[in-house]
Amino acid sequence: MKTEDGLERIKAIGIAAWTWVGVIILLSMLLFVLYSINTVLMPFLYALVFVYILRPVVNYLDDKGLPRVFALILSYLGIILILTLFGTYIGPILYKESNGLINKIPEYVTTTNGYITDLVKQHPFLKGDQTAEFLTGLANSFKSFLQKAALSVPEMTASLFGGMINFVLAPIIAFYILKDLDVIRTTVREMIPEKHRVEGMQIVKKIDQIVGGFLKGQALVALTVAILSGIALYALGVDYAILLGFIIGVFNIIPYLGPIVGGAPAVIIALGTSWQLALIVVVVLLTVQQIDSILISPRIMSSQVNLHPAVVIFALLAGGTLLGFVGMLIAIPIAAVGKALYLHFRERSNGSGPEEPDVQELESAAKV
C-alpha cells in the first residue's frame, strides 16, 4: 500500500512538473508571437477598449428593443459628442498647459536646487554629510528625469496613437465586434469540444468579467482621482492644475509608486511659489489618495475583479521589458486572464463549480 501511495505521489509530481513545463512553453510561444506582431496589435487593443466601454450601452439599448445596428450608431454618436466637447473645451487647455510646463521645466529645476542649497546653508550639520550628497543627487536625478520625460513625450504620443491608421481602424473593428457579438459568442462556444464546453464557457465568462471589470474600474477610478486632484490644485492656485490632475489620474493606475510619481510634478510646481504651498499640496494629494483607498476604489473594484498591486507592478515591468510600450498595454489584461484561470481552477478543485450546465447563463456569458 505504501509503495502504491509513493508511486501515485511521484506520478502526481511528474504531472504537475510537466504541466508547468507546458505552461512555460506556451507562454514563451505566446510572447514570441506577440513580439512578432506587436505593431499589428495596437488597433485591436484600442478596439478592445471601445468594446468594453460601449458594450453595456449597446446591450441596454438592444434589450429595450432597438435594433442592434441603430443602438451602435447612437452609441458612436454619443462618443463623438463627448470627444468633440473634450476637444473643444479640455483639449486646448491640456495642450497649452503642456507646452507651458515643458518650457518652464528649467525654472522649476533651478528653484528646487535653490531650496536644497538654502536648506544645506541653513543647517550647517548637513554640509559634507551623506544627507547633503543625497539631496544633491536627488535634485540631479529629478532634473534628468524631467528632461528625459520632456524629450520622450513626442515618442510616447506617436507610440500611443500609432499614427492615424490605428485611430481610424480601432472604432471600425470595435463596431463589427459589437454588431456580431452574438455570432462571435456562438462561434467560440461551438469551437470548444462538447465535453469541455460548459467549463470552457465558464472560463470565458470569468475572463470577460475580470478583464472588463478591471479595465472599466481602473478607468473610472483614474477619472475620479484626476477630477478631485485637478479641482483641489485649481482651488489652491497651483499652475497647470488641469494638466497635473490628468497626470495624477493616469499614474494612479500604477500601485504604490504611481501616486508618488504623478504627484511629484504638482509638488515641484507648488514649490516654485512657496514651500508652504508645496506642503499644502502634499497634504491635499495624500488626502485624495486616502479618499481613493477608503471610499472610491473599494466601491468600484470588487475583490473578484481587482488585481493585487504587486501583480500589477510585476506585469507592467515584465511587459515593458519584453515588448516595450505595447507590452505595458497588454500586461494587465494578461494578468487579469491569469487571475481568472486561477480562480476557476481553484473553485473547481474545491468542488464549488456548478455540476449541471446552465445554457441560458452560458449563452449570455459576454453580456456583463
Side-chain angles (χ1 to χ4, degrees):
M1 184 66 71
K2 290 184 178 180
T3 304
E4 291 180 0
D5 291 341
L7 290 174
E8 287 296 326
R9 190 174 302 166
I10 293 172
K11 182 180 177 181
I13 293 173
I15 292 173
W18 280 109
T19 300
W20 278 109
V21 170
V23 169
I24 292 171
I25 292 174
L26 287 174
L27 284 175
S28 301
M29 294 173 62
L30 176 63
L31 289 173
F32 176 76
V33 171
L34 291 175
Y35 180 78
S36 302
I37 63 170
N38 67 83
T39 54
V40 182
L41 286 175
M42 297 307 291
F44 290 93
L45 289 173
Y46 299 146
L48 185 66
V49 175
F50 271 95
V51 169
Y52 276 117
I53 290 174
L54 292 178
R55 189 179 63 184
V57 180
V58 174
N59 286 341
Y60 174 79
L61 295 175
D62 191 16
D63 293 339
K64 292 297 181 181
L66 192 69
R68 194 166 186 85
V69 173
F70 289 123
L72 270 168
I73 292 173
L74 282 178
S75 301
Y76 268 68
L77 288 175
I79 289 292
I80 291 172
L81 177 62
I82 292 172
L83 291 177
T84 301
L85 292 174
F86 181 86
T88 303
Y89 295 103
I90 306 298
I93 297 175
L94 291 178
Y95 179 78
K96 181 180 177 181
E97 291 194 350
S98 298
N99 286 335
L101 179 58
I102 290 173
N103 292 330
K104 294 193 72 173
I105 282 177
E107 179 183 333
Y108 290 125
V109 170
T110 301
T111 303
T112 305
N113 285 333
Y115 272 105
I116 293 175
T117 302
D118 292 342
L119 183 65
V120 173
K121 286 181 179 179
Q122 292 173 7
H123 301 280
F125 65 88
L126 293 176
K127 292 182 179 180
D129 193 77
Q130 292 182 350
T131 306
E133 296 178 6
F134 169 75
L135 292 173
T136 304
L138 186 64
N140 292 333
S141 298
F142 181 73
K143 179 180 179 180
S144 176
F145 169 76
L146 286 178
Q147 290 172 341
K148 290 179 180 178
L151 293 174
S152 64
V153 167
E155 181 183 350
M156 289 184 64
T157 304
S159 299
L160 181 62
F161 290 99
M164 287 302 297
I165 186 67
N166 289 341
F167 189 73
V168 172
L169 279 177
I172 295 175
I173 295 171
F175 182 91
Y176 284 106
I177 291 175
L178 287 166
K179 183 176 78 69
D180 299 325
L181 200 58
D182 289 335
V183 177
I184 294 172
R185 189 183 307 127
T186 303
T187 302
V188 170
R189 188 168 181 269
E190 294 300 323
M191 288 175 63
I192 302 173
E194 190 171 353
K195 63 178 180 179
H196 300 298
R197 190 166 294 165
V198 173
E199 183 177 22
M201 291 305 293
Q202 289 171 347
I203 293 174
V204 170
K205 180 179 180 180
K206 195 172 290 293
I207 288 173
D208 180 73
Q209 288 175 333
I210 291 181
V211 174
F214 183 82
L215 293 178
K216 288 184 290 187
Q218 284 292 348
L220 189 55
V221 170
L223 178 62
T224 305
V225 170
I227 292 173
L228 289 177
S229 302
I231 292 174
L233 294 174
Y234 183 81
L236 290 173
V238 179
D239 295 335
Y240 316 114
I242 296 177
L243 175 63
L244 292 172
F246 177 79
I247 292 172
I248 292 169
V250 170
F251 275 96
N252 191 73
I253 296 174
I254 305 173
Y256 302 135
L257 295 177
I260 297 174
V261 176
V267 176
I268 297 299
I269 291 172
L271 198 60
T273 302
S274 68
W275 68 266
Q276 293 92 338
L277 180 60
L279 183 61
I280 294 173
V281 167
V282 170
V283 173
V284 168
L285 292 183
L286 286 175
T287 303
V288 171
Q289 288 302 317
Q290 290 302 310
I291 293 173
D292 173 34
S293 301
I294 298 172
L295 298 177
I296 301 173
S297 290
R299 293 178 181 273
I300 295 175
M301 307 292 290
S302 69
S303 59
Q304 286 283 309
V305 163
N306 205 4
L307 293 174
H308 193 277
V311 174
V312 174
I313 293 175
F314 175 79
L316 289 172
L317 292 176
T321 302
L322 294 171
L323 298 174
F325 185 70
V326 176
M328 295 182 70
L329 288 179
I330 66 175
I332 294 179
I334 289 177
V337 169
K339 177 175 181 177
L341 294 173
Y342 166 75
L343 288 176
H344 172 79
F345 288 110
R346 187 186 69 178
E347 290 171 1
R348 192 180 70 168
S349 66
N350 292 336
S352 58
E355 297 179 0
E356 295 296 328
D358 187 344
V359 177
Q360 219 173 18
E361 180 185 355
L362 295 178
E363 286 182 347
S364 62
K367 288 189 176 182
V368 180

